[in-house]
Amino acid sequence: MNMAILVNHPWFGTAMGAVAAILLGLLVHRLGSLLLLRMTRHTPVLHAIVAKSRVAATAVVPLMLLQTTWQAAPDDLRWIDSIRHLNGLLLIVATTWLIVRIIAGFAQGILDQHPVDVADNISARRIHTQTRVISRIAMTLVVVMGTAMLLMTFPGARQVGASLLASAGVVGLIAGFAAKPVFSNMIAGLQLALTQPLRLDDVLIVEGEWGRVEEITSTYVVLKIWDERRLIIPLQYFIEKPFQNWTRNSAQIMGAVFFHVDYGMPLAPLREALTRIVKERPEWDGRFFNLVVSDTTEKTMQLRVLCTAASSGLAWDLRCAIREALIDFMQREYPQFLPRLRIEGESAASQTPG
């Protein structure tokens, strides 16, 4: 009797169809994902897309079949309109999630093909920067579009949107000002990705701080400063203001060391000592070094040492080593020519009032 009542219930056929749709969707997803993973194992980008989107597809496929079931149900079935609407909302969310994961998989596949842990990684860093920035902007746009589609399924939200458009004066102006930073950063992100004034792991000087680009998001850049601090900079900054990029075309750089000596200091021994010091240092890349008198004052002459290294970090270490070694050489061999303040005895006596 109870079974007959259950079978004759208006929801029985639709419910059985929904259960079958869920089971069929899970089976199709399981077999399809295994087949796609096997077919794409020799194609890194497609394989990464399939791997990243498997979980999201688990929700999308059954929801699509469920929506077909609900649409086939009689229109006079109780609560069917609400269930169709709820299933549609879930399907929009799951589809948005799936597209975001597809974009993430595509980006990951490209990144995996261009590792940055190699000696000459400028090209790889360029690709990493473009891929990360463009993929994050694409994900943001997909989420915005998914949210808009969700809102458009509610009649009340459409009415609110229509009333806002009707009163476009002040509201539109306020919305424009509010959205300006978002769109400015989005446009700046596209400009940075396409023109490449900076890349991941580039060495920059920004606001007087030396650091490496650690992360580039859709709205800001994280600069890892040499003392482990992080400087957070909006993307728009790099479009509107100048900054130094020490690794724009190459990591090679020239460093300078300045120090002052007495006018009596002979330069030939210093140059010989410099040659010995530089050639013994592993940081020197073998390209160039020299020592010249770059300036003079009434008390001392200023010496400048130029030296080259393969990167800014090695150049810093090389400059410190040269500075310390030359000071040590002068302290041992020519201490009398280190800078000092002299007061001549006879001159001082002649200037003393009688």
Side-chain angles (χ1 to χ4, degrees), residues 63-324:
L63 284 172
M64 289 178 64
L65 295 178
L66 270 177
Q67 191 67 8
T68 303
T69 303
W70 304 137
Q71 293 297 330
D75 292 337
D76 58 351
L77 198 61
R78 192 178 183 185
W79 300 314
I80 190 62
D81 290 335
S82 298
I83 291 175
R84 287 170 178 170
H85 187 209
L86 177 60
N87 195 100
L89 294 177
L90 294 176
L91 184 57
I92 291 173
V93 172
T95 304
T96 302
W97 180 24
L98 176 61
I99 296 174
V100 168
R101 297 306 296 167
I102 289 174
I103 295 172
F106 180 77
Q108 189 62 51
I110 293 178
L111 297 181
D112 291 342
Q113 287 185 307
H114 300 85
V116 295
D117 54 348
V118 294
D120 186 9
N121 62 0
I122 290 180
S123 178
R125 288 192 286 114
R126 175 179 59 79
I127 294 173
H128 273 238
T129 302
Q130 289 179 330
T131 303
R132 290 180 187 275
V133 173
I134 294 177
S135 63
R136 284 171 179 167
I137 291 174
M139 290 179 192
T140 303
L141 291 175
V142 169
V143 172
V144 170
M145 292 174 64
T147 305
M149 292 179 66
L150 281 175
L151 292 176
M152 292 302 293
T153 63
F154 294 93
R158 289 200 297 268
Q159 293 173 6
V160 171
S163 62
L164 285 177
L165 290 175
S167 58
V170 176
V171 177
L173 186 62
I174 294 174
F177 278 113
K180 182 180 177 182
V182 177
F183 289 111
S184 295
N185 275 315
M186 188 175 295
I187 294 171
L190 286 173
Q191 287 181 277
L192 291 178
L194 296 175
T195 60
Q196 293 284 292
L198 61 91
R199 298 170 296 246
L200 288 170
D201 206 39
D202 268 349
V203 176
L204 307 183
I205 303 293
V206 181
E207 298 292 328
E209 298 283 2
W210 182 98
R212 290 185 177 273
V213 177
E214 183 178 51
E215 184 181 2
I216 301 177
T217 72
S218 57
T219 55
Y220 60 85
V221 172
V222 179
L223 191 68
K224 183 179 180 182
I225 304 174
W226 64 273
D227 58 1
E228 302 296 329
R229 291 178 293 146
R230 266 50 171 195
L231 186 64
I232 311 299
I233 312 154
L235 290 180
Q236 194 65 23
Y237 178 96
F238 296 98
I239 302 299
E240 297 177 347
K241 296 184 179 180
F243 62 95
Q244 295 184 41
N245 188 337
W246 287 11
T247 53
R248 178 68 178 86
N249 297 315
S250 171
Q252 293 179 336
I253 196 169
M254 182 178 294
V257 177
F258 294 91
F259 56 97
H260 293 264
V261 298
D262 189 83
Y263 277 97
M265 177 66 206
L267 297 180
L270 269 182
R271 289 194 171 99
E272 293 176 3
L274 175 66
T275 301
R276 183 179 66 256
I277 293 166
V278 170
K279 290 185 176 180
E280 291 176 354
R281 298 302 307 180
E283 300 89 352
W284 184 53
D285 62 2
R287 288 190 295 138
F288 175 78
F289 73 91
N290 75 350
L291 183 150
V292 297
V293 178
S294 58
D295 198 5
T296 57
T297 69
E298 66 276 10
K299 298 182 179 67
T300 61
M301 56 181 176
Q302 182 188 68
L303 304 184
R304 184 193 70 183
V305 174
L306 292 180
C307 52
T308 58
S311 68
S312 57
L314 294 175
W316 170 265
D317 294 338
L318 179 60
R319 289 165 57 204
C320 292
I322 290 173
R323 190 181 294 112
E324 293 175 6

Side-chain angles (χ1 to χ4, degrees), residues 1-16:
M1 186 69 178
N2 292 334
M3 180 61 67
I5 294 175
L6 182 63
V7 171
N8 293 325
H9 194 279
W11 267 98
F12 180 78
T14 303
M16 290 297 99

Side-chain angles (χ1 to χ4, degrees), residues 32-53:
S33 61
L34 292 176
L35 180 62
L36 288 174
L37 284 174
R38 187 176 183 86
M39 291 174 59
T40 60
R41 65 183 184 273
H42 299 302
T43 311
V45 175
L46 292 178
H47 190 78
I49 291 174
V50 174
K52 286 279 187 181
S53 59

